[in-house]
Amino acid sequence: MSVGLFFLVFFLLLFAALPIAGCFAFMTVLPNIITGTFSIDSVMAVRTMANGLNSFTLLAIPLFVLAGIIMARGGISEKIFNFFAYFVGNRTAGYPCAVVATCLFYGAISGSAPATTAAVGSMTIPLLIGLGYDKRFTVALVAVAGGLGVIIPPSIPFVVYGTSASVSTTSLFMAGILPGLLIGALLMAYAIFYCRRHGADSALLEANYRQVREKGFLHILKDSGPALLSPLFVLGSIYGGLASPTEAAAISVVYSLLLSVFVYKTIRPRDIFKVIGEGVQNYAALLFIISAAVGFARVLNMLRVPQVVESAIVGVVDSKIALLLIVIVILLIAGCFIDTIPAIMIFTPIFLPLTQEFGVDLIHFGIVMTVALAIGFVTPPMGINLFVASNLTGLPIVQIAKRAIPMIIMFFIALLIIAFVPQLSLLLV
């Protein structure tokens, strides 16, 4: 079966809006259906998919998903937001900046962009709108800042890339810290610029800030402190060599349960199984996508797609910079149509030989790939964060996307800096 025909059928299935997991599974067996001699038949395809999930590292994904859901149901994002609002609530764009900071911290718990958008947005969007901030600006900010959930460690896409590229997940987590902070800083800078021109209701802001300050720092610290310690327990155990990413994910689940059930008492013991059931529902679809993508990736290798792409790109580029520019363009386009995890499963085996050809560090490339695909969370038609934010507020996706354009530009500027200043990603590794 020719590579051209293979991808033609694949893109036709995507444009027909078939589920991405079903597309992967069908494409895994398609060469054998057409030729009858291709080595991967239906039995081998199922076996390949099952073997692809036999990974201790990948076990971290359902655990981080579950921890994120527990934190969301336990109202942890509200505690984190109140802490930052205490310090910056009376400054220009103080509350929008607190939203970005909360997304950074919550991303260090959930590892998921949609989960970060939902948990932070459900609490902060009504508050900021009530304080006079423009609704479309507020919703767009939460949707874009939610993308930090896959860049600030722990990150589910980092786990998937680490498994696909056979690199250290712990190193990827370390490498994601400074890029995540850079993106957060640029989003805050735009929020300050926007609020200086448009602002909010100053009287409401002052009244709300005074109400927060009246509680006192010790009260805020006591209330928010356990939530703020969550990333410390998770990331500290990894960087301190006490736990692997998978073990740290388990720690995250236990700690989030202890906080929600016994400290904040926002989840009743009898509701725990309901929360776990919600986690299983969220992860089941993701599990099928990953398993089907493993089979799809193996077919790509057997069709020699990486070698074909390598030959084509090597023929037109002659430097690392040119390669990264081409890769970024491809990933930005792909992110509009394919979710981050399947995109990583598809493109990692294709681009890996090229990175070795041009001497691109695999850790640095993983950060570039994840940041580029994270922009896809807020670019139609896929734009999962747009759908999440729209469901929270009832705003049409197009309106959110239009207002998000300046923030996406800031995200893109950060991507270019991250791509062409590799030291930013590798400094802490």
Side-chain angles (χ1 to χ4, degrees):
M1 181 179 184
S2 68
V3 173
L5 177 60
F6 181 84
F7 278 102
L8 175 62
V9 175
F10 178 61
F11 286 117
L12 286 175
L13 293 176
L14 289 180
F15 284 118
L18 293 179
I20 186 68
C23 292
F24 285 154
F26 178 74
M27 295 307 299
T28 302
V29 298
L30 180 63
N32 182 266
I33 292 175
I34 292 179
T35 65
T37 58
F38 196 74
S39 58
I40 298 184
D41 56 14
S42 58
V43 175
M44 180 61 69
V46 172
R47 190 174 300 167
T48 301
M49 294 176 191
N51 290 338
L53 294 176
N54 186 21
S55 167
F56 181 71
T57 302
L58 287 179
L59 184 59
I61 296 176
L63 292 174
F64 280 129
V65 170
L66 179 58
I69 291 174
I70 294 171
M71 290 287 188
R73 296 294 171 266
I76 305 301
S77 59
E78 181 178 356
K79 310 297 182 183
I80 297 173
F81 177 82
N82 289 340
F83 178 81
F84 292 113
Y86 180 87
F87 294 100
V88 300
N90 64 334
R91 301 180 182 277
T92 302
Y95 282 103
C97 288
V99 168
V100 177
T102 304
C103 287
L104 284 166
F105 261 76
Y106 194 86
I109 301 170
S110 71
S112 165
T116 301
T117 302
V120 177
S122 60
M123 187 276 299
T124 59
I125 290 174
L127 173 62
L128 266 66
I129 293 174
L131 293 174
Y133 288 99
D134 179 74
K135 182 176 182 179
R136 289 178 296 174
F137 162 75
T138 301
V139 176
L141 178 66
V142 172
V144 176
L148 293 168
V150 298
I151 300 166
I152 287 291
S155 161
I156 292 174
F158 285 170
V159 175
V160 176
Y161 174 81
T163 304
S164 301
S166 299
V167 297
S168 168
T169 304
T170 300
S171 297
L172 287 166
F173 284 179
M174 292 291 288
I177 294 175
L178 294 181
L181 293 176
L182 171 65
I183 297 169
L186 289 178
L187 291 177
M188 289 182 187
Y190 172 74
I192 294 171
F193 168 79
Y194 176 88
C195 290
R196 281 179 177 169
R197 296 185 61 187
H198 301 281
D201 190 317
S202 57
L204 288 174
L205 281 175
E206 182 61 30
N208 183 272
Y209 179 68
R210 190 163 50 247
Q211 183 180 359
V212 172
R213 295 287 293 191
E214 284 175 355
K215 295 179 180 179
F217 175 72
L218 291 180
H219 178 273
I220 292 291
L221 182 62
K222 180 181 177 181
D223 193 42
S224 305
L228 293 170
L229 287 175
S230 300
L232 179 64
F233 279 108
V234 177
L235 301 180
S237 63
I238 296 174
Y239 304 149
L242 301 176
S244 68
T246 302
E247 293 164 340
I251 293 173
S252 178
V253 172
V254 173
Y255 186 72
S256 60
L257 269 177
L258 292 175
L259 277 187
S260 301
V261 175
F262 298 107
V263 178
Y264 296 128
K265 299 180 180 178
T266 47
I267 295 178
R268 295 172 297 182
R270 65 183 181 185
D271 293 331
I272 292 177
F273 287 104
K274 185 186 298 183
V275 173
I276 293 174
E278 185 178 347
V280 172
Q281 287 180 335
N282 277 269
Y283 179 64
L286 187 58
L287 180 73
F288 188 37
I289 291 173
I290 293 174
S291 64
V294 170
F296 182 81
R298 182 168 181 183
V299 171
L300 291 182
N301 281 324
M302 297 187 69
L303 292 174
R304 298 185 57 81
V305 172
Q307 290 79 2
V308 172
V309 174
E310 180 182 6
S311 300
I313 293 182
V314 168
V316 296
V317 302
D318 57 0
S319 68
K320 184 189 300 185
I321 293 177
L323 170 65
L324 288 174
L325 284 173
I326 290 177
V327 168
I328 286 172
V329 170
I330 293 173
L331 293 176
L332 288 175
I333 295 173
C336 294
F337 301 96
I338 308 174
D339 194 15
T340 304
I341 290 176
I344 289 175
M345 301 290 287
I346 293 171
F347 290 107
T348 298
I350 292 177
F351 290 144
L352 220 56
L354 287 166
T355 61
Q356 296 170 338
E357 178 81 17
F358 287 90
V360 180
D361 185 272
L362 291 182
I363 299 294
H364 173 229
F365 184 74
I367 304 300
V368 173
M369 174 178 278
T370 302
V371 174
L373 291 171
I375 295 177
F377 284 116
V378 283
T379 52
M382 190 68 183
I384 295 177
N385 283 13
L386 296 177
F387 286 96
V388 173
S390 178
N391 288 335
L392 288 175
T393 61
L395 273 179
I397 290 172
V398 174
Q399 290 187 21
I400 303 173
K402 285 182 179 179
R403 188 52 64 91
I405 289 175
M407 305 174 208
I408 294 173
I409 292 173
M410 302 304 286
F411 219 116
F412 180 71
I413 291 172
L415 170 60
L416 294 179
I417 295 173
I418 293 164
F420 301 124
V421 185
Q423 293 81 2
L424 185 69
S425 300
L426 302 177
L427 183 63
L428 300 180
V429 177

